[in-house]
Amino acid sequence: MGIVERIKEIEAEMARTQKNKATEYHLGQLKAKIAKLRTQLLEPPKGSSGGGDGFEVTKYGHGRVALIGFPSVGKSTLLTMLTGTHSEAASYEFTTLTCIPGVIHYNDTKIQLLDLPGIIEGASEGKGRGRQVIAVAKSSDLVLMVLDASKSEGHRQILTKELEAVGLRLNKRPPQIYFKKKKTGGISFNTTAPLTRIDEKLCYQILHEYKIHNAEVLFREDATVDDFIDVIEGNRKYIKCVYVYNKIDVVGIDDVDRLARQPNSIVISCNLKLNLDRLLARMWDEMGLVRVYSKPQSQQPDFDEPFVLSADRGGCTVEDFCNHVHRTLVKDMKYALVWGTSARHYPQHCGLSHHLEDEDVVQIVKKKVREEGGRGRFKSHSNTPARIADREKKAPLKQ
């Protein structure tokens, strides 16, 4: 029996099992088995070189956005309109067969936009080049799930299920669970919050399913069984997602209003070029890019080429800004002068841990290098003791 058949068999058993207090331990073990099998499904087969016919797209710019959706929902048209890169669009399905990159120039930054082939139900099992598409999505900073506004809401649920099956968690934060394997000592279980959806016995059974008998577990929130399995697997990717409903020109105004009011959603029309500017602004807000301008000492700030920081790529502190300029600048920095919305007054003396905000101006003040030796009649920087009686006296001046 293959891995896919075993997963379907376990899913059928979970569907037959009633959910109550008596069966929660059995369901927890079945969820752990499915997670292990899905991880094996994503691994390359033994004996292979590890590589495959994936999409070779080099990272470019200050952020990467992936377009994911069913075939013929308007992904290629959206890429052409936002970037100017030609991506073939036609009325038949699977027009795009490979990954086509484009670059969006927005707010003095460069954002890479990837047009991926349409994925179908069963993509997590490898159907329709689904694994390659999802692998590119994992390397992105933001996912735009393009949906057809005239189709049913089930498309969104199918895509979300396929992405979650391969370890992508959309619009979620990592669970507050500390987990660490040990060599000896057994399993130590602690919690700082009351647990209502999982208990110590169920955690032990899930760990034994993974053949883990020595570990430290600390729950800092009321997490679920799925959250605990995600922490044990350790290969989950938590990524932001915006649901883009295209073709709003073919539905009624009531449906457009209902879709626009859903969380993390935006409505557009590539045919009539509607709401594309708001889509770019929403992408900018979700990616959290921060532009920082440098100011040389006693000169005007350089507003032509900003340094672009983000929380997902390093951080937005003064230390991160120094590492962007040069990796040795942190050692030489004495303090930083900051102008902008993050400063309380202009300029503000800041340290390495100060968080920068968009369009801040930063000037780095370096430490002064002390000169060896001293001035005057006595040496003030010698290696001898600093007492006056022990100072080395220079020869008298000539008359």
Side-chain angles (χ1 to χ4, degrees), residues 51-66:
D53 53 345
F55 302 132
E56 296 180 1
V57 180
T58 306
K59 275 196 173 184
Y60 177 79
H62 305 110
R64 171 180 275 196
V65 179

mmCIF file of all heavy atoms in Angstrom, residues 51-66:
data_model
loop_
_atom_site.group_PDB
_atom_site.id
_atom_site.type_symbol
_atom_site.label_atom_id
_atom_site.label_comp_id
_atom_site.label_asym_id
_atom_site.label_seq_id
_atom_site.Cartn_x
_atom_site.Cartn_y
_atom_site.Cartn_z
ATOM 1 N N GLY A 51 17.341 16.511 -6.286
ATOM 2 C CA GLY A 51 16.820 17.546 -7.154
ATOM 3 C C GLY A 51 15.722 17.018 -8.044
ATOM 4 O O GLY A 51 15.560 15.831 -8.258
ATOM 5 N N GLY A 52 14.966 17.912 -8.617
ATOM 6 C CA GLY A 52 13.889 17.530 -9.505
ATOM 7 C C GLY A 52 13.658 18.615 -10.531
ATOM 8 O O GLY A 52 14.405 19.577 -10.629
ATOM 9 N N ASP A 53 12.614 18.424 -11.296
ATOM 10 C CA ASP A 53 12.293 19.419 -12.312
ATOM 11 C C ASP A 53 11.468 20.536 -11.681
ATOM 12 O O ASP A 53 10.294 20.704 -11.959
ATOM 13 C CB ASP A 53 11.554 18.762 -13.480
ATOM 14 C CG ASP A 53 10.342 17.971 -13.003
ATOM 15 O OD1 ASP A 53 10.259 17.711 -11.789
ATOM 16 O OD2 ASP A 53 9.501 17.634 -13.846
ATOM 17 N N GLY A 54 12.090 21.284 -10.786
ATOM 18 C CA GLY A 54 11.414 22.378 -10.119
ATOM 19 C C GLY A 54 11.515 23.667 -10.914
ATOM 20 O O GLY A 54 11.963 23.707 -12.049
ATOM 21 N N PHE A 55 11.067 24.754 -10.302
ATOM 22 C CA PHE A 55 11.103 26.056 -10.943
ATOM 23 C C PHE A 55 12.337 26.798 -10.432
ATOM 24 O O PHE A 55 12.418 27.139 -9.258
ATOM 25 C CB PHE A 55 9.845 26.855 -10.614
ATOM 26 C CG PHE A 55 8.578 26.157 -11.014
ATOM 27 C CD1 PHE A 55 7.521 26.053 -10.131
ATOM 28 C CD2 PHE A 55 8.448 25.595 -12.263
ATOM 29 C CE1 PHE A 55 6.355 25.414 -10.495
ATOM 30 C CE2 PHE A 55 7.288 24.950 -12.647
ATOM 31 C CZ PHE A 55 6.242 24.858 -11.763
ATOM 32 N N GLU A 56 13.301 27.035 -11.306
ATOM 33 C CA GLU A 56 14.526 27.719 -10.915
ATOM 34 C C GLU A 56 14.314 29.220 -11.077
ATOM 35 O O GLU A 56 14.465 29.773 -12.169
ATOM 36 C CB GLU A 56 15.700 27.239 -11.776
ATOM 37 C CG GLU A 56 16.017 25.759 -11.587
ATOM 38 C CD GLU A 56 17.175 25.317 -12.451
ATOM 39 O OE1 GLU A 56 17.725 26.173 -13.175
ATOM 40 O OE2 GLU A 56 17.526 24.137 -12.410
ATOM 41 N N VAL A 57 13.933 29.868 -9.985
ATOM 42 C CA VAL A 57 13.687 31.307 -9.991
ATOM 43 C C VAL A 57 14.545 31.920 -8.896
ATOM 44 O O VAL A 57 14.374 31.621 -7.712
ATOM 45 C CB VAL A 57 12.193 31.625 -9.744
ATOM 46 C CG1 VAL A 57 11.978 33.133 -9.751
ATOM 47 C CG2 VAL A 57 11.332 30.956 -10.790
ATOM 48 N N THR A 58 15.487 32.757 -9.279
ATOM 49 C CA THR A 58 16.376 33.401 -8.325
ATOM 50 C C THR A 58 15.630 34.509 -7.584
ATOM 51 O O THR A 58 14.866 35.268 -8.195
ATOM 52 C CB THR A 58 17.606 33.981 -9.041
ATOM 53 O OG1 THR A 58 18.219 32.953 -9.812
ATOM 54 C CG2 THR A 58 18.605 34.534 -8.044
ATOM 55 N N LYS A 59 15.861 34.598 -6.284
ATOM 56 C CA LYS A 59 15.241 35.666 -5.511
ATOM 57 C C LYS A 59 15.783 37.019 -5.964
ATOM 58 O O LYS A 59 16.982 37.193 -6.156
ATOM 59 C CB LYS A 59 15.509 35.465 -4.015
ATOM 60 C CG LYS A 59 14.520 34.543 -3.337
ATOM 61 C CD LYS A 59 14.583 34.665 -1.841
ATOM 62 C CE LYS A 59 13.467 33.864 -1.188
ATOM 63 N NZ LYS A 59 13.440 34.047 0.279
ATOM 64 N N TYR A 60 14.881 37.978 -6.113
ATOM 65 C CA TYR A 60 15.266 39.298 -6.581
ATOM 66 C C TYR A 60 14.402 40.329 -5.868
ATOM 67 O O TYR A 60 13.224 40.086 -5.574
ATOM 68 C CB TYR A 60 15.074 39.406 -8.103
ATOM 69 C CG TYR A 60 15.376 40.767 -8.671
ATOM 70 C CD1 TYR A 60 16.685 41.170 -8.902
ATOM 71 C CD2 TYR A 60 14.351 41.663 -8.955
ATOM 72 C CE1 TYR A 60 16.963 42.418 -9.419
ATOM 73 C CE2 TYR A 60 14.618 42.915 -9.478
ATOM 74 C CZ TYR A 60 15.929 43.294 -9.705
ATOM 75 O OH TYR A 60 16.209 44.536 -10.198
ATOM 76 N N GLY A 61 15.008 41.491 -5.609
ATOM 77 C CA GLY A 61 14.250 42.574 -5.012
ATOM 78 C C GLY A 61 14.172 42.477 -3.503
ATOM 79 O O GLY A 61 14.903 41.728 -2.848
ATOM 80 N N HIS A 62 13.250 43.258 -2.952
ATOM 81 C CA HIS A 62 13.123 43.376 -1.495
ATOM 82 C C HIS A 62 12.034 42.479 -0.920
ATOM 83 O O HIS A 62 11.840 42.459 0.290
ATOM 84 C CB HIS A 62 12.835 44.832 -1.128
ATOM 85 C CG HIS A 62 13.848 45.792 -1.678
ATOM 86 N ND1 HIS A 62 13.562 46.686 -2.688
ATOM 87 C CD2 HIS A 62 15.156 45.976 -1.382
ATOM 88 C CE1 HIS A 62 14.629 47.402 -2.966
ATOM 89 N NE2 HIS A 62 15.613 46.988 -2.197
ATOM 90 N N GLY A 63 11.309 41.755 -1.758
ATOM 91 C CA GLY A 63 10.263 40.854 -1.283
ATOM 92 C C GLY A 63 9.788 39.977 -2.425
ATOM 93 O O GLY A 63 9.993 40.275 -3.607
ATOM 94 N N ARG A 64 9.172 38.853 -2.073
ATOM 95 C CA ARG A 64 8.679 37.908 -3.080
ATOM 96 C C ARG A 64 7.216 37.598 -2.787
ATOM 97 O O ARG A 64 6.847 37.268 -1.661
ATOM 98 C CB ARG A 64 9.511 36.628 -3.062
ATOM 99 C CG ARG A 64 8.948 35.517 -3.919
ATOM 100 C CD ARG A 64 9.797 34.265 -3.873
ATOM 101 N NE ARG A 64 10.883 34.323 -4.836
ATOM 102 C CZ ARG A 64 11.585 33.251 -5.234
ATOM 103 N NH1 ARG A 64 11.300 32.063 -4.734
ATOM 104 N NH2 ARG A 64 12.556 33.377 -6.097
ATOM 105 N N VAL A 65 6.395 37.717 -3.839
ATOM 106 C CA VAL A 65 4.954 37.449 -3.738
ATOM 107 C C VAL A 65 4.609 36.370 -4.759
ATOM 108 O O VAL A 65 5.022 36.454 -5.923
ATOM 109 C CB VAL A 65 4.125 38.722 -3.996
ATOM 110 C CG1 VAL A 65 2.638 38.420 -3.902
ATOM 111 C CG2 VAL A 65 4.509 39.817 -2.996
ATOM 112 N N ALA A 66 3.852 35.359 -4.327
ATOM 113 C CA ALA A 66 3.467 34.248 -5.209
ATOM 114 C C ALA A 66 1.974 34.303 -5.485
ATOM 115 O O ALA A 66 1.166 34.540 -4.578
ATOM 116 C CB ALA A 66 3.836 32.908 -4.572
#
